[in-house]
């Protein structure tokens, strides 16, 4: 069973999608979920409080998902944080750019509950033991 | 649109290009004069913002609808989950303890509990499917936002161009249509009713 103590941050400018992801995480056994509506708000939250996992959209106002990912990877404290991109951007160059910037996974919208569960599980399996 | 926005940027081509654009604008101007420009200008000035507002309204309505569906699913899912869990647990007990009394009733009860547990699981899957289908709101919303941006740019450029071609004295608000479709912007309008309550109150005040 999932480690329900893990704390997730879901970043998307559409409340509908944040809510869908939050509900899916709850089904997977992760009830500790916060939401941010763009990359800038998300990064501020990441700087303030400890999180274990970030699920982020790409195309958002202020700071987009790729910008958020880069800031996380540049930060000494946050650089090991798993970041799963969930986005409608489906071009090969997008996926390559996200991978090069250090994305832990990439899901193209629309996606299924099974896909999210699988990607989250795969990323958590690779996390070093002891990271809660 | 400014000449710079045309964006050709090749020195030699520009004078000819400007001349052509100038000619097109003059022709447009003449055509407007001949066709009864005030009507055309009013329509253009009205139609583009109207189209944009309708599109924004579509985005808002779909977001609200998706929100209602998600709220309903969030209420129903735990109820369904509880039914499923309880039926499954009770079924397991009936299988294990198999009370010797009234074997037919016991068999029917076991069968029902098995069905309830299975249907509970199936309904939970369908609820998840209903929830996942709401992702259309994000996807269509992104497309609508993009088109809205384009419509607003067009509006600024085109309306500006048209207004420049029109003497100020001739500018009048366009008439409202009688059948105007769903109200996109009730705020600030005194001619529309914002709720069923207001509709009922109006009818009541007229003696219906």
């Amino acid at each position: 069973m999932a480690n329900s103590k893990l704390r997730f941050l879901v970043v998307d400018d559409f409340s509908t999608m944040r809510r869908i992801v939050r509900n899916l995480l709850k089904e997977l056994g992760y009830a500790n979920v916060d939401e941010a509506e763009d990359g800038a708000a998300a990064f501020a939250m990441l700087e303030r409080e400890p999180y274990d996992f970030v699920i982020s959209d790409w195309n958002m106002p202020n700071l987009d998902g790729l910008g958020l990912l880069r800031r996380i990877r540049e930060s000494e404290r946050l650089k090991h944080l798993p970041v799963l991109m969930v986005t409608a951007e489906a071009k090969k160059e997008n996926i390559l750019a996200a991978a090069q910037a250090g994305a832990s996974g990439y899901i193209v919208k629309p996606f299924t509950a099974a896909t999210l569960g699988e990607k989250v599980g795969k990323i958590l399996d690779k996390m070093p033991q002891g990271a809660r | 649109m400014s000449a710079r926005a045309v964006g050709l940027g090749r020195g030699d081509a520009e004078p000819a290009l400007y001349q052509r654009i100038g000619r097109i604008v003059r022709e447009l101007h003449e055509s407007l004069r001949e066709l009864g420009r005030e009507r055309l200008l009013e329509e253009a000035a009205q139609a583009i913002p109207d189209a944009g507002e309708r599109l924004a309204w579509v985005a808002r309505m779909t977001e609200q609808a998706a929100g209602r569906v998600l709220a309903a699913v969030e209420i129903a899912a735990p109820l369904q989950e509880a039914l499923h869990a309880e039926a499954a647990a009770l079924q397991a007990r009936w299988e294990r303890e198999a009370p010797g009394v009234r074997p037919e009733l016991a068999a029917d009860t076991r069968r029902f509990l098995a069905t309830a547990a299975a249907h509970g699981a199936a309904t939970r899957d369908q609820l998840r499917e209903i929830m996942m289908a709401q992702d259309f709101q994000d996807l269509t919303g992104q497309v609508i936002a993009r088109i809205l941006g384009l419509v607003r740019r067009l509006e600024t450029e085109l309306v500006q161009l048209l207004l420049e071609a029109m003497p100020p004295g001739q500018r009048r608000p366009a008439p409202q249509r009688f059948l105007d479709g769903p109200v996109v912007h009730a705020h600030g309008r005194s001619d529309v009713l914002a709720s069923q309550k207001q509709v009922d109150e109006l009818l009541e005040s007229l003696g219906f």
Side-chain angles (χ1 to χ4, degrees):
Chain A
M1 190 56 194
N3 180 353
S4 59
K5 270 195 243 149
L6 290 179
R7 191 177 186 193
F8 283 71
L9 181 59
V10 175
V11 194
D12 200 308
D13 52 337
F14 279 84
S15 63
T16 309
M17 187 50 70
R18 292 200 301 271
R19 208 159 164 182
I20 288 175
V21 173
R22 174 196 278 275
N23 283 326
L24 287 175
L25 288 172
K26 198 173 156 197
E27 277 190 32
L28 291 170
Y30 305 108
N32 194 355
V33 179
D34 285 335
E35 299 178 14
E37 63 181 14
D38 61 44
F43 196 74
M45 291 170 78
L46 290 170
E47 283 191 314
R48 262 199 323 269
E49 291 175 53
Y51 286 93
D52 304 298
F53 205 113
V54 175
I55 297 181
S56 180
D57 184 24
W58 187 324
N59 189 359
M60 294 179 289
N62 299 320
L63 180 64
D64 69 17
L66 192 68
L68 173 64
L69 174 61
R70 288 193 173 128
R71 282 222 211 159
I72 289 172
R73 293 294 174 248
E74 282 163 11
S75 156
E76 198 50 44
R77 188 172 71 79
L78 299 171
K79 65 182 177 190
H80 297 300
L81 193 62
V83 178
L84 173 59
M85 302 290 291
V86 178
T87 167
E89 310 302 326
K91 290 199 296 285
K92 203 186 253 178
E93 59 184 284
N94 297 129
I95 297 160
L96 286 175
Q100 277 162 4
S104 314
Y106 197 101
I107 295 178
V108 176
K109 295 175 186 171
F111 61 99
T112 66
T115 304
L116 185 75
E118 180 206 321
K119 302 291 179 213
V120 169
K122 205 181 252 177
I123 293 167
L124 288 176
D125 285 346
K126 277 195 244 160
M127 265 170 79
Q129 291 301 316
R132 275 217 267 180
Chain B
M1 197 185 289
S2 73
R4 193 179 297 275
V6 175
L8 258 186
R10 288 193 204 108
D12 294 344
E14 280 187 11
L17 184 67
Y18 290 164
Q19 281 175 14
R20 279 180 60 194
I21 292 174
R23 202 165 59 236
I24 291 168
V25 171
R26 273 195 303 281
E27 281 172 14
L28 179 62
H29 203 151
E30 288 305 311
S31 306
L32 286 172
R33 200 195 303 279
E34 285 165 19
L35 288 169
R37 62 187 168 192
E38 76 188 79
R39 190 179 52 80
L40 268 182
L41 285 174
E42 281 171 6
E43 279 180 10
Q46 185 75 16
I48 296 182
D50 187 55
E53 283 187 4
R54 280 168 197 266
L55 212 49
W57 180 82
V58 168
R60 277 202 308 281
M61 290 305 285
T62 55
E63 184 176 2
Q64 284 171 19
R68 284 166 66 185
V69 172
L70 288 175
V73 168
E74 282 165 12
I75 291 169
L79 299 178
Q80 193 57 40
E81 183 61 41
L83 274 180
H84 160 75
E86 206 163 324
L90 210 49
Q91 186 210 353
R93 274 181 64 193
W94 271 87
E95 298 292 347
R96 212 169 42 237
E97 298 174 16
V101 289
R102 311 194 57 181
E104 251 180 61
L105 180 61
D108 283 351
T109 306
R110 278 203 300 273
R111 201 161 39 241
F112 168 73
L113 289 173
T115 308
H119 287 190
T123 310
R124 189 187 52 202
D125 289 349
Q126 294 306 315
L127 282 172
R128 188 200 293 125
E129 179 62 18
I130 289 170
M131 178 182 80
M132 291 309 291
Q134 304 313 305
D135 70 353
F136 83 90
Q137 197 276 319
D138 175 5
L139 300 171
T140 57
Q142 287 190 43
V143 173
I144 288 175
R146 198 163 287 209
I147 296 172
L148 263 181
L150 174 70
V151 166
R152 286 187 178 133
R153 280 200 301 282
L154 270 177
E155 175 190 345
T156 312
E157 302 289 352
L158 182 61
V159 171
Q160 192 55 39
L161 178 71
L162 289 169
L163 287 178
E164 278 166 11
M166 173 193 239
Q170 292 188 15
R171 294 175 200 167
R172 278 177 292 152
Q176 292 285 332
R177 285 180 299 271
F178 180 53
L179 291 177
D180 214 18
V183 179
V184 171
H185 256 313
H187 189 74
R189 278 179 70 176
S190 56
D191 61 332
V192 299
L193 302 178
S195 69
Q196 182 58 44
K197 190 160 169 283
Q198 291 185 5
V199 174
D200 293 343
E201 283 167 2
L202 175 65
L203 286 171
E204 212 166 295
S205 75
L206 295 171
F208 287 98

